[in-house]
Structures are given as structure tokens and as C-alpha cells.
Amino acid sequence: MARVLLNLPRSAAKGAVIEIRTLIMHPMESGFRPGMNGSILPRDIITRFRCSYNGEEVFRAELSPAIAANPFISFTTVATESGTLSFTWEGDNDFRQTETRDIAVT
Amino acid sequence: MNRRPLLAGALLALTLRPAAATPEDEAAALRAFTGGAALREGRVALDIPPLVENGNTVPLKVTVQSPMTAADHCTAIALFNEKNPQPQVITARFGPRAGRAELATHMRLATSQKILAVAAMSDGSFWSTSAEVIVTLAACIES
């Protein structure tokens, strides 16, 4: 399990736009770098990121090797109702990780 | 410590350097995103430092002017480069629930080049802006 940093408010007013910042520890090996023995290191990156709010997708991104190691993605969403935000990262070598955060909307 | 693998690695790094993406590659990637639609200047703001010391992590932010209502919203933001090994950087999909059409991330830059940010709107139009970036330490290729 990779370490994940998630920065979003625990509570928000209904209808407010909240900023969500995500960072996951991942080497994002580009597949273009030679290793110690000179052969090209195989690509190992995160290719997809998805955020859903109470099961409904609100944000999605497709990543490429041009994204820096430990991918940082920041976006916004409207706080519509109390519930759970879930964040899923998927990548090469069957990498898949999901984190959830609860939000209280008043 | 055996220095031979290091030396071999350094030599191969010089000889096996993959070709950078060409402007044609970038145009093809752009076509795949827009479906051949024309790009219009404006509505997109790309915030990226003009002079980058370390190409391994370059912070950037894309902001699109859009009311983000169900009838009129930004559906996607895509970033392209011209001289990394591959032209794609990131493609983000939005809906009206995003609230604001904003995307921030960190990217790699292989060399000094022009970054192109394109926004797709729900009415089918595409808007773009670009920024020149000078890089002193390259990423992607060097180990």
C-alpha cells in the first residue's frame, strides 16, 4: 500500500466549492530511463485517477509518464450532501488503491 | 564497488536516448483529444513557472473560465508538450459537479519547450493557451 496524502475539509456548507488535494507515493517510472545495467527500466506509472462522491463520479484523470513521481492532483467539487468521497488510483502492474474520506455538509 | 555497470549505464544512456516527441506527435495527440475541431485562444489560463530549475517536478495549474452549470460547463482539460518522449501529460474530465474548472498537478519536462493546455466545453468548442518554459535540469531521460 502506497502512502497517500489527502487534503480536503471535513465539513462544508451546502453548495460550497471545496478544493481537494491528493498526493500518492509512487515512483512513476517513465519507461524511458536506463537503469544501472544500461537497459531501459520498464514503465511503472499510475494511469488513472478517479474521485467519486457518494458513488457518483465527479472527477477523473488519465495520467502519462510526463507526470512527476508521487503524483499530485488537485481539483474542486461542490459539497452537495454529507457522505463519502472515494479516491481510486490505478496503474501498471495491477496497481490499485482506494482511499475514502467522510464529509459533513450542513 | 564495481564501476563498470555505472560506466556502461552512462554510455548507454548517451546512445539509447529515446527520440523526443515531434510536433507531429503532439498534433496527433491533440487531434485524438479534439477530434479535429479548431482551437480558439482564450478562456484557459495556464500557470506554470517560466524558468524551471528542476524538470523532474514542475508545478502547474490550469484554470478555465466556465460557469460550470449543467447546460454550460468544461468537460475536460488536457495538457500537451512538444519535446518530452510522449506528447500527452494529463487529461482530466469534469462535470458540472466540479464547481470550478481547475486542475493542478506536477509534471516532468525533458527540455525547454512549449506547453499547450486545451479545454473542451460542453457546447463542443475547444479553447487553448500555451506557455514557454525554460528548463535547466532535464527529467524523463536522465537517470
Side-chain angles (χ1 to χ4, degrees), chain A residues 26-46:
Chain A
H26 193 283
M28 292 295 274
E29 187 55 59
S30 67
F32 295 101
R33 290 191 321 146
M36 281 293 277
N37 63 0
S39 59
I40 300 290
L41 295 169
R43 193 183 91 158
D44 179 15
I45 66 164
I46 290 173

Side-chain angles (χ1 to χ4, degrees), chain A residues 35-88:
Chain A
M36 281 293 277
N37 63 0
S39 59
I40 300 290
L41 295 169
R43 193 183 91 158
D44 179 15
I45 66 164
I46 290 173
T47 50
R48 274 164 210 288
F49 170 74
R50 210 167 56 237
C51 170
S52 37
Y53 194 139
N54 281 347
E56 195 189 328
E57 182 180 286
V58 291
F59 179 85
R60 175 159 58 97
E62 290 132 48
L63 281 61
S64 76
I67 294 296
N70 304 330
F72 164 80
I73 300 173
S74 165
F75 56 97
T76 57
T77 191
V78 179
T80 49
E81 57 195 353
S82 296
T84 310
L85 284 132
S86 94
F87 306 88
T88 306

Side-chain angles (χ1 to χ4, degrees), chain B residues 2 5 7 20 30 34 50 54 62-63 72 75 78 87 98 103 115 132 138 141:
Chain B
N2 188 356
L7 184 66
L30 183 61
T34 61
N54 184 352
V62 184
T63 314
D72 180 10
T75 57
L103 170 74
I115 307 299
E132 289 280 353
I141 298 156

